[in-house]
Amino acid sequence: MNSQQLTAKTLTQTEIAISPDQQAAAQVLDLLNQYSSNADWDKYFALYREDGIFIGTDASERWGMTEFERYSRPTKGWRYDLTERHLVQHGDTILFDELLNSPAYGISRGTGALIKTDGQWKIAQYHLSFPIPNNIAKQITNEIKAVNKK
C-alpha cells in the first residue's frame, strides 16, 4: 500500500469514528474560522451561546459576548487555518482542542466547549493561546514577567 492509499484509508476510518454530533460541532468550529477571516460578525457571533466566553491571548482578555463584540466588530477579522482538531463528547457537551496556523502569529491553539442548545451546537467557551516550545519557555515567560512589572 502506498502512502496515498494509506492516507485515504486513515481518513475514511477517522470519518467513520466521528459521531454526527461531533461532525456538527466540527462544522461550527470550521464556520467560526471562516466567518472571522471574512469579518462576518453577525454569523460569527451567532455561533456562540449568549452567555459564551472568549478568552484571548492576553491575560486581561476574558470577555463575555458583549465585550468581545465591542472588540471584534471594528476589525477586519483574523485568519486561523485548522491544522489538527480533537473532539470529546460528554452528553450535550463537546470539548475540543485544535492547532491553528495564522499568517499573523503562526501556530496557535484553540480550546473550549460547545453545548447543544435548542438542538444546535453553540460555543460556550473559546480560549485562544500560543503554544510555547519547551526549549524557549523560560525565555518567553521571563519576557512576559518583565512586561508585567512595568
Side-chain angles (χ1 to χ4, degrees), residues 54-63 68 71 80 100 102 105-110 126-132 144 148:
F54 181 89
I55 302 170
T57 57
D58 189 286
S60 68
E61 297 174 342
R62 185 186 186 283
W63 295 323
F68 188 38
Y71 168 83
Y80 289 92
L100 305 161
S102 161
Y105 297 107
I107 296 173
S108 63
R109 174 173 285 142
Y126 193 98
H127 182 185
L128 182 65
S129 63
F130 300 132
I132 301 171
I144 293 168
N148 288 336

Side-chain angles (χ1 to χ4, degrees), residues 31-138:
L31 288 172
L32 186 78
N33 292 328
Q34 177 185 328
Y35 297 153
S36 70
S37 67
N38 297 329
D40 191 341
W41 299 125
D42 290 339
K43 289 180 181 178
Y44 179 88
F45 285 103
L47 299 173
Y48 283 89
R49 289 172 47 98
E50 286 182 26
D51 60 352
I53 299 293
F54 181 89
I55 302 170
T57 57
D58 189 286
S60 68
E61 297 174 342
R62 185 186 186 283
W63 295 323
M65 289 299 96
T66 301
E67 298 156 303
F68 188 38
E69 281 192 63
R70 197 173 310 129
Y71 168 83
S72 302
R73 287 194 181 272
T75 74
K76 295 180 180 177
W78 46 82
R79 180 175 155 199
Y80 289 92
D81 300 318
L82 180 65
T83 302
E84 179 180 314
R85 178 181 292 141
H86 302 101
L87 301 165
V88 177
Q89 185 168 359
H90 300 279
D92 283 346
T93 301
I94 292 180
L95 308 175
F96 68 90
D97 65 90
E98 54 188 12
L99 287 178
L100 305 161
N101 192 23
S102 161
Y105 297 107
I107 296 173
S108 63
R109 174 173 285 142
T111 61
L114 296 99
I115 298 175
K116 201 168 207 177
T117 306
D118 297 326
Q120 295 183 324
W121 289 100
K122 297 280 188 173
I123 299 166
Q125 179 176 298
Y126 193 98
H127 182 185
L128 182 65
S129 63
F130 300 132
I132 301 171
N134 289 332
N135 62 339
I136 61 168
K138 195 68 150 174

